[in-house]
């Protein structure tokens, strides 16, 4: 892959001002319900901003870290973060979301690589957990590609559109990631047509994804 045929993606920390720009993603409720089981109905921009405030406002230590992926023209394409961080236990939760028209292009995997590096190489966490609805095949595929292990199922724990679905619980240890990191990066680099700006994310060897 060369920079000439790769789409440039900017990767930067999120702020509360970004909520206005991404709120529309979550008004397609059938789609949003694949990723978020906490909201029974769509909420206003103001309500969404308040629900994000604790995660985006810097505390000491931070309660979460969220980053935004943007196209060259500034259009938001996806978000990924670390949530529910326990610095004592050394764990956290990895959520991600990619706008529907930009899926299956490697962005979820690329964003997650950045967050796994942040979690294990900078914050010295020991493990990350993530949860997805059992019928969410794209999330299952992305997590398997990253080296996550399915650790269990919460039967019928996800209610949406009058139906109950299973919740799949997947996790990855720091040792798992260190063992799989180069394989994952090489796989993504060989197959996706995205490149992250050098100031936002680079592979360990100084090469762009």
């Amino acid at each position: 892959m060369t920079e000439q045929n790769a789409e440039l993606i900017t990767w930067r920390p999120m702020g509360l001002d970004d909520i206005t720009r991404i709120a529309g993603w979550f008004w397609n409720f059938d789609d949003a319900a694949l990723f978020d089981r906490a909201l029974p109905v769509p909420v206003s921009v103001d309500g969404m901003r308040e629900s994000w405030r604790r995660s985006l406002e810097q505390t000491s230590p931070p309660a979460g870290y969220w980053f935004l992926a943007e196209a060259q023209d500034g259009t938001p394409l996806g978000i990924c973060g670390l949530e529910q961080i326990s610095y004592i236990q050394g764990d956290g939760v990895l959520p991600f979301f990619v706008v529907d028209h930009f899926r299956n292009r490697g962005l979820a995997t690329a964003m997650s690589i950045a967050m796994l590096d942040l979690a294990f190489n900078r914050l010295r966490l020991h493990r990350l957990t993530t949860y997805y609805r059992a019928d969410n095949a794209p999330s299952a595929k992305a997590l398997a590609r990253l080296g996550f292990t399915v650790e269990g199922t919460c039967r019928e724990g996800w209610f949406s559109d009058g139906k109950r679905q299973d919740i799949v619980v997947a996790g990855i240890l720091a040792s798992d990631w260190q063992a799989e990191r180069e394989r994952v990066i090489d796989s993504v680099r060989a197959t996706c047509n995205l490149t992250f700006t050098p100031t936002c994310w680079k592979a360990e060897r100084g090469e762009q994804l």
Side-chain angles (χ1 to χ4, degrees):
M1 182 182 70
T2 65
E3 291 189 21
Q4 284 71 32
N5 62 18
E7 184 164 356
L8 184 66
I9 305 296
T10 299
W11 179 241
R12 63 168 179 81
M14 280 182 65
L16 279 172
D17 290 344
D18 292 315
I19 299 304
T20 302
R21 304 174 62 218
I22 68 172
W25 295 352
F26 304 99
W27 293 338
N28 179 348
F29 194 62
D30 288 339
D31 185 64
L34 273 173
F35 299 89
D36 190 346
R37 64 188 285 262
L39 296 176
V41 293
V43 298
S44 67
V45 174
D46 288 341
M48 189 175 295
R49 187 181 293 110
E50 286 306 307
S51 70
W52 279 78
R53 187 175 298 278
R54 183 172 182 272
S55 295
L56 296 181
E57 289 186 336
Q58 290 300 302
T59 58
S60 183
Y65 299 85
W66 281 91
F67 290 79
L68 176 73
E70 295 178 321
Q72 287 181 271
D73 64 1
T75 301
L77 300 174
I79 55 176
C80 189
L82 299 176
E83 275 284 349
Q84 301 177 35
I85 297 172
S86 170
Y87 294 94
I88 295 175
Q89 298 297 332
D91 60 30
V93 174
L94 174 75
F96 57 79
F97 183 91
V98 175
V99 68
D100 56 357
H101 68 268
F102 209 80
R103 291 174 192 160
N104 299 312
R105 298 178 65 174
L107 181 57
T109 307
M111 293 192 303
S112 298
I113 289 171
M115 301 315 295
L116 288 163
D117 276 351
L118 172 62
F120 297 136
N121 297 344
R122 295 184 178 272
L123 301 180
R124 295 187 290 183
L125 298 185
H126 179 67
R127 65 163 285 133
L128 290 179
T129 306
T130 194
Y131 308 89
Y132 60 92
R133 209 170 77 184
D135 62 338
N136 188 344
S139 288
K141 180 180 178 181
L143 292 167
R145 188 178 190 186
L146 289 161
F148 276 77
T149 298
V150 173
E151 298 178 333
T153 302
C154 301
R155 295 182 301 157
E156 299 186 1
W158 197 306
F159 183 74
S160 176
D161 195 27
K163 301 175 183 177
R164 290 199 173 273
Q165 302 272 2
D166 292 347
I167 302 172
V168 180
V169 183
I172 189 170
L173 302 179
S175 57
D176 298 333
W177 177 237
Q178 296 308 327
E180 295 293 321
R181 183 181 187 278
E182 292 302 315
R183 176 195 62 79
V184 173
I185 290 175
D186 287 343
S187 172
V188 175
R189 186 181 289 122
T191 58
C192 82
N193 63 342
L194 310 176
T195 183
F196 279 59
T197 55
T199 55
C200 297
W201 185 87
K202 287 192 295 185
E204 187 174 71
R205 294 170 296 192
E207 300 168 343
Q208 289 177 258
L209 184 66

